[in-house]
Amino acid sequence: MHYPFWYVPGLTSPMWIAIVAVLHVYTALYAVGGSVILASQTSLAYRVKDGAYLEYLRNHTWFFMILTVIYGSLMGVGIWWTIGLASPLATEELIRIFVLGWAMEYVTFLIEILSIFIFFYYWGRLGEKDHIIVGWIYAAAAIGSLLIITPITAFQLNSGGWMTGDGFWKAFFNPQALPQIAARLGGSLLLGALYFFLHSTIKLSEDDPLRETVGRRSAKWAMLGAVLTIVGGVSWYVFLPPSAKAALVGASTLNILMTIIFSLTAGVVLMMYFGPLRRPRWVSLGFAVLFFALGHAATGTGEFIREAVRKPYIVHGRVLGSQIRTEEIPNLRRSGYLAGGVWTSAYIKHRFPEVVRKGSPNSIDYDRIKTFPLAKRREIGRVVFQYHCGDCHAVEGYSAVSQLARGWDRELILYTVKHPERVRYFMPPWSGNDVEAECLTDYILSIRKPYPAGLYGAEKVK
Amino acid sequence: MDAPTLIAPQSPIGYPAPFWFIELFKVLGFALHAIPMSLWYAGTILAVLLTTFGRGNAKTVGCHIVRSLPFAVAIGVNLGIIPLLFIQSAYYQFFYPATILMAWPWFAVFWMVIIAYTSVYIYRLAVEGRMPEWIGGLAGLVASIIFIAVGFIFANALSLMTNPNGWWSIFRKSNSAGAAIGLALNDADPTLIPRWLFMFGLAITTTAAFIVFDAVFLSGRENRDYRRYAVKFGFELYSVGIVWVVVLGSWYIFGTRRWEFLALRSSPIAQAIFWLAAMSPGLPYILIAIQKFILATGKTAIEKEPSRVFAALIAAAQFGVVVLNAVSRQWLQNRELAPYTRVADCPVDLQTSAITAFLVVFAVGAAAAVWMVYKIIQVNRREFDRSN
């Protein structure tokens, strides 16, 4: 409402953030975990003068570079694009607090790019020692970027009661920072190893002894990653804010996703132990593909959960899913949600010039709206819906209100509109006045699906 | 609808650093981004022409550009985030509405760049002989069209950002119950086309300077004949670029920015920056011309070899051109937004220790970068000595 809302029918614009973020995380984690494995293994191969292993690592670096630099880094840029479009107020808030953190992260990104290009294109042209140093510079920069960005995203989940003026470091070292660093670092080593398994099974023949070497050595890193992931995951849960813990327990979708992620992670760790670590020859192409898919499913589920448990906040304690700051609620309830928003107010005044009070062009005449016919009230309700509800609900499609309110009567809808946080504690509180609540109710009533026929009591529901 | 009523309220959180610090890194970030960006913006289409129709050394120039493109795109895209970050820090009230009103084209940018970047790699593989030439040419063409289209979208977003008066008419035509549909462009703005094409002209001059620099410092495996040719070609290309910049720059400033141009009179510093920026391409152009003249008339072996000192000076002078343009763009941007807000007047919640941490990370990063670049220059020198 401070900014125009980007209307994406069927999906909701913030869902783009989740999609782009998950796609980015797959390669971003590989960039971190893979860099550590590459740097350590290149050093080892030089030390033991294993030419064949070096050649394999060079081959893997090309694949690594193409994937992480083209796709990974551009999807990272894509997150910037998407959050600014779909969640401008939260982005504004985060940038004000963390711009210097992001600036540090971009220094590490630039070093990553420079070093990976030199690492690959000057392979065999740089001296051995310099080449190893470049590899470790890359790994250090990749880990550095993870250490900087993770606390920023962790802040969104638990700001630790941060208040304006509390400064950068209190925000940076929020309660979720260390748990998420541990979990992500672990996840990156795990995922990095899965890429190595897959790549080596494709590139090396079954009887090539190198395949065993790559499998066993990568598996050691993966086991370290598994330990870190478990430690990080448990502490992540411990340091969740109460609202997020309640959502994890209370929301059935999240229950299922949590079960899936634990099962997948446990499965991957067990398979890793009995497969690549104990009997590396077991790792066939099919096994590696399955491994790879399971690892990605676990990572994607984890990211989705991380996003979902934040509700009702986009930035914990500060910015709500309804694109307003928490401290704005009392004022908006008094003055009206539409009147309090820059673009909502401009639109209503343009569309319904009769609601502009004479002598007071900045306010909206809600008494006049009360007298509007139903069609006009629904139209106003639709504007409220776009801005107040559109972040999490489409009309049809993702989290569709037409389905969620199926068969509801006016009374039930009006109660839910006025007290969403009581009906579902992970919904943002109502931030408008009574007239807007009535208009929104009229609109939802017009889009909600009928109560399914044939059910007990269906005939009583109009 | 009055433009000032569409501007979001100021953030309750102050700037984390003094405004000059934010502005400095925004401008510096843009200048650093503009160098590699120019190479893919004007260089890709040039490379397609040279590798398709060129023969001998002309084709080699094209191949050299193609070889440098993957790195240029990677580093340029990431350098581009720095000014974007600082834009969002200080100019968020203008940047977000502008980009949301044209959400779909803006959202398409990074997907388009992913396709272009993949194409660039395919192009490079073809140039290295690992793929059929025609596939490379096609991939190069796709990449160059995408890069030029992305430039157009950027010109739209940044011109719309400084044109709040244009927001309402766009929003009115493209909304659904008050929410932006995001399919609009800032096509009614007369500054759009000259702005877009002016940047392309500037990119041609930077590509020309790069060709000379690359021939001297990064073409250790090529012979002297190629290096001499590259200087001559760089001169010719710079000539095209300089004419382009003069014509499009005049259209942009005198045709669409008359008011801002007149406003220059009130500020001697702005006037000095503007004229310096306008005249600045002359310096690298003269330096390339001198180098070309020495090569054509020189008699000793040293005089027949393109000079490293000259190449470094040309690169430095071109960086100066880009910096001066970035500074004058910044002046213009602040001037355009002055009727709505004074970005410099926002309160500051100074994050001293975070600024220190950033400067330390910046210094360590710069040291690592310098060390790595030094190492690869050493490698290139060794290879140069071996091949000569």
Side-chain angles (χ1 to χ4, degrees):
Chain A
M1 61 173 227
H2 296 298
Y3 298 104
F5 181 73
W6 178 26
Y7 172 57
V8 178
L11 187 68
T12 76
S13 53
M15 272 304 283
W16 276 121
I17 301 178
I19 293 167
V20 175
V22 169
L23 291 174
H24 167 68
V25 160
Y26 288 148
T27 38
L29 291 183
Y30 173 42
V32 177
S35 73
V36 175
I37 300 175
L38 267 178
S40 68
Q41 295 311 295
T42 309
S43 310
L44 179 72
Y46 273 125
R47 205 168 55 238
V48 299
K49 302 198 185 312
D50 187 342
Y53 194 26
L54 273 172
E55 186 50 34
Y56 167 75
L57 290 168
R58 197 178 81 84
N59 210 309
H60 189 101
T61 304
W62 188 82
F63 165 75
F64 175 85
M65 185 180 72
I66 294 286
L67 197 65
T68 58
V69 174
I70 296 185
Y71 177 73
S73 79
L74 281 167
M75 288 306 270
V77 170
I79 293 180
W80 274 112
W81 252 243
T82 320
I83 59 173
L85 289 172
S87 215
L89 185 68
T91 312
E92 172 200 314
E93 185 94 348
L94 287 172
I95 284 192
R96 272 301 167 95
I97 302 169
F98 290 114
V99 68
L100 293 160
W102 265 308
M104 287 183 236
E105 194 203 5
Y106 270 88
V107 174
T108 65
F109 274 162
L110 294 169
I111 297 302
E112 273 184 65
I113 289 166
L114 187 61
S115 53
I116 191 62
F117 272 91
I118 295 174
F119 189 67
F120 177 72
Y121 284 110
Y122 284 80
W123 196 297
R125 294 164 75 187
L126 277 171
E128 234 174 68
K129 196 177 137 207
D130 290 340
H131 192 226
I132 291 172
I133 293 174
V134 171
W136 280 109
I137 288 177
Y138 177 77
I143 294 173
S145 70
L146 182 143
L147 294 180
I148 297 168
I149 190 61
T150 307
I152 299 176
T153 53
F155 179 81
Q156 286 184 269
L157 182 54
N158 191 348
S159 62
W162 190 88
M163 307 281 281
T164 304
D166 275 350
F168 178 85
W169 296 109
K170 192 180 172 198
F172 192 81
F173 290 110
N174 59 75
Q176 275 287 322
L178 287 177
Q180 289 203 21
I181 284 175
R184 284 192 166 227
L185 203 54
S188 70
L189 290 171
L190 255 171
L191 212 61
L194 300 187
Y195 276 92
F196 269 83
F197 295 151
L198 184 66
H199 182 264
S200 60
T201 50
I202 292 171
K203 284 282 172 187
L204 303 170
S205 66
E206 221 166 294
D207 46 359
D208 191 331
L210 251 185
R211 195 151 137 178
E212 197 174 322
T213 311
V214 175
R216 183 167 280 147
R217 285 177 182 164
S218 310
K220 283 181 185 165
W221 284 106
M223 293 312 285
L224 173 64
V227 173
L228 277 171
T229 307
I230 292 163
V231 171
V234 171
S235 46
W236 172 81
Y237 182 79
V238 170
F239 289 102
L240 278 178
S243 60
K245 271 188 188 164
L248 270 183
V249 179
S252 50
T253 315
L254 292 178
N255 292 169
I256 295 166
L257 290 177
M258 284 300 283
T259 311
I260 290 174
I261 195 171
F262 274 112
S263 316
L264 289 174
T265 310
V268 167
V269 173
L270 282 173
M271 284 161 74
M272 184 88 72
Y273 181 77
F274 289 111
L277 198 65
R278 298 291 300 269
R279 290 175 184 80
R281 282 189 176 273
W282 278 12
V283 185
S284 63
L285 179 60
F287 189 94
V289 169
L290 179 68
F291 233 5
F292 189 78
L294 289 178
H296 280 74
T299 308
T301 313
E303 288 300 313
F304 190 84
I305 292 172
R306 199 178 59 86
E307 290 278 322
V309 295
R310 273 210 309 262
K311 286 175 183 175
Y313 295 112
I314 306 176
V315 180
H316 177 245
R318 300 190 62 82
V319 179
L320 286 157
S322 45
Q323 295 287 344
I324 57 166
R325 292 192 171 85
T326 43
E327 67 262 24
E328 288 178 292
I329 295 174
N331 194 31
L332 290 173
R333 283 183 177 171
R334 268 196 309 274
S335 69
Y337 181 81
L338 296 172
V342 172
W343 289 80
T344 46
S345 151
Y347 177 77
I348 291 292
K349 286 172 194 165
H350 164 75
R351 182 73 188 80
F352 307 101
E354 62 270 39
V355 303
V356 180
R357 285 182 205 270
K358 286 197 175 68
S360 176
N362 291 328
S363 64
I364 290 175
D365 186 350
Y366 283 96
D367 289 334
R368 182 83 180 82
I369 292 177
K370 273 189 209 168
T371 65
F372 275 4
L374 183 61
K376 271 189 173 181
R377 286 209 311 271
R378 278 182 184 161
E379 209 180 321
I380 287 175
R382 190 169 168 224
V383 181
V384 178
F385 179 83
Q386 293 276 44
Y387 281 81
H388 201 293
C389 319
D391 241 35
C392 306
H393 299 285
V395 174
E396 295 283 358
Y398 176 72
S399 194
V401 163
S402 60
Q403 298 290 349
L404 291 170
R406 183 182 274 274
W408 287 12
D409 59 16
R410 195 170 199 287
E411 197 184 355
L412 183 52
I413 295 173
L414 184 61
Y415 182 82
T416 310
V417 162
K418 283 187 164 179
H419 311 286
E421 75 282 12
R422 283 192 220 163
V423 176
R424 293 269 185 271
Y425 50 84
F426 45 78
M427 281 171 73
W430 171 242
S431 313
N433 59 26
D434 286 349
V435 179
E436 288 166 332
E438 295 281 348
C439 291
L440 179 57
T441 302
D442 289 333
Y443 174 64
I444 294 175
L445 206 53
S446 72
I447 58 167
R448 67 110 167 86
K449 303 282 183 205
Y451 198 78
L455 288 179
Y456 175 78
E459 69 283 356
K460 289 181 189 166
V461 183
K462 298 282 177 217
Chain B
M1 200 55 62
D2 287 344
T5 63
L6 297 175
I7 292 163
Q10 259 197 4
S11 168
I13 307 170
Y15 288 144
F19 180 69
W20 63 263
F21 185 92
I22 291 172
E23 199 91 307
L24 172 74
F25 277 92
K26 178 176 176 286
V27 172
L28 181 67
F30 176 75
L32 290 170
H33 157 73
I35 300 287
M37 179 271 282
S38 299
L39 198 57
W40 80 63
Y41 195 26
T44 313
I45 186 73
L46 178 71
V48 171
L49 294 173
L50 290 172
T51 54
T52 310
F53 304 110
R55 294 283 171 271
N57 283 331
K59 192 166 185 148
T60 312
V61 169
C63 293
H64 269 262
I65 295 174
V66 177
R67 284 205 186 93
S68 60
L69 279 176
F71 179 69
V73 177
I75 206 92
V77 166
N78 280 280
L79 279 167
I81 296 298
I82 296 168
L84 210 62
L85 195 61
F86 288 105
I87 276 188
Q88 291 181 75
S89 187
Y91 300 85
Y92 56 96
Q93 293 160 295
F94 304 92
F95 179 78
Y96 293 134
T99 49
I100 293 169
L101 291 176
M102 46 175 286
W104 283 107
W106 186 245
F107 184 63
V109 162
F110 72 94
W111 299 101
M112 289 164 74
V113 175
I114 287 176
I115 297 168
Y117 196 8
T118 310
S119 308
V120 156
Y121 262 101
I122 294 170
Y123 194 12
R124 182 178 167 139
L125 286 174
V127 160
E128 287 169 348
R130 293 196 274 166
M131 264 194 180
E133 212 170 299
W134 70 268
I135 292 182
L138 190 64
L141 188 64
V142 168
S144 57
I145 291 169
I146 290 177
F147 286 140
I148 292 168
V150 165
F152 182 68
I153 296 173
F154 261 86
N156 266 278
L158 295 173
S159 57
L160 188 57
M161 177 187 140
T162 55
N163 178 27
N165 275 321
W167 292 356
W168 185 252
S169 61
I170 288 177
F171 177 71
R172 225 175 42 171
K173 281 183 256 169
S174 175
N175 78 80
S176 170
I181 291 172
L183 283 169
L185 284 172
N186 188 31
D187 46 12
D189 188 335
T191 68
L192 175 67
I193 300 295
R195 182 188 181 123
W196 172 47
L197 294 177
F198 172 76
M199 279 308 288
F200 192 81
L202 204 61
I204 294 176
T205 62
T206 305
T207 304
F210 170 80
I211 289 169
V212 176
F213 182 84
D214 171 79
V216 175
F217 284 102
L218 302 169
S219 303
R221 290 167 179 176
E222 304 293 347
N223 58 28
R224 182 196 283 173
D225 184 43
Y226 169 76
R227 286 190 286 276
R228 288 166 62 95
Y229 176 83
V231 172
K232 187 170 148 279
F233 184 85
F235 175 76
E236 286 161 5
L237 186 64
Y238 212 104
S239 308
V240 174
I242 219 161
V243 171
W244 191 305
V245 164
V246 169
V247 173
L248 269 298
S250 303
W251 178 14
Y252 181 51
I253 295 295
F254 304 115
T256 67
R257 293 280 179 207
R258 188 131 189 89
W259 179 81
E260 283 85 0
F261 181 66
L262 291 174
L264 271 176
R265 288 181 186 165
S266 61
S267 166
I269 296 174
Q271 219 168 7
I273 291 167
F274 171 78
W275 286 112
L276 271 174
M279 307 301 286
S280 61
L283 181 60
Y285 187 55
I286 290 169
L287 287 169
I288 300 175
I290 295 172
Q291 173 72 100
K292 181 177 167 271
F293 178 75
I294 294 171
L295 288 175
T297 57
K299 295 200 168 40
T300 65
I302 294 174
E303 285 170 344
K304 283 178 182 166
E305 180 67 52
S307 150
R308 281 185 177 151
V309 176
F310 259 105
L313 283 174
I314 290 162
Q318 187 61 26
F319 185 62
V321 172
V322 173
V323 168
L324 281 167
N325 268 280
V327 172
S328 58
R329 275 166 65 99
Q330 192 53 61
W331 179 86
L332 187 60
Q333 194 174 63
N334 290 349
R335 182 86 217 175
E336 286 171 308
L337 296 177
Y340 310 105
T341 185
R342 286 184 58 82
V343 279
D345 290 346
C346 174
V348 177
D349 289 337
L350 201 61
Q351 298 178 349
T352 313
S353 55
I355 294 174
T356 312
F358 165 65
L359 292 174
V360 169
V361 171
F362 187 76
V364 171
V370 167
W371 180 81
M372 287 189 284
V373 170
Y374 171 69
K375 287 289 166 188
I376 61 170
I377 287 176
Q378 269 187 332
V379 169
N380 277 289
R381 275 191 180 180
R382 265 202 310 271
E383 288 171 353
F384 174 85
D385 292 341
R386 246 181 266 146
S387 69
N388 290 274

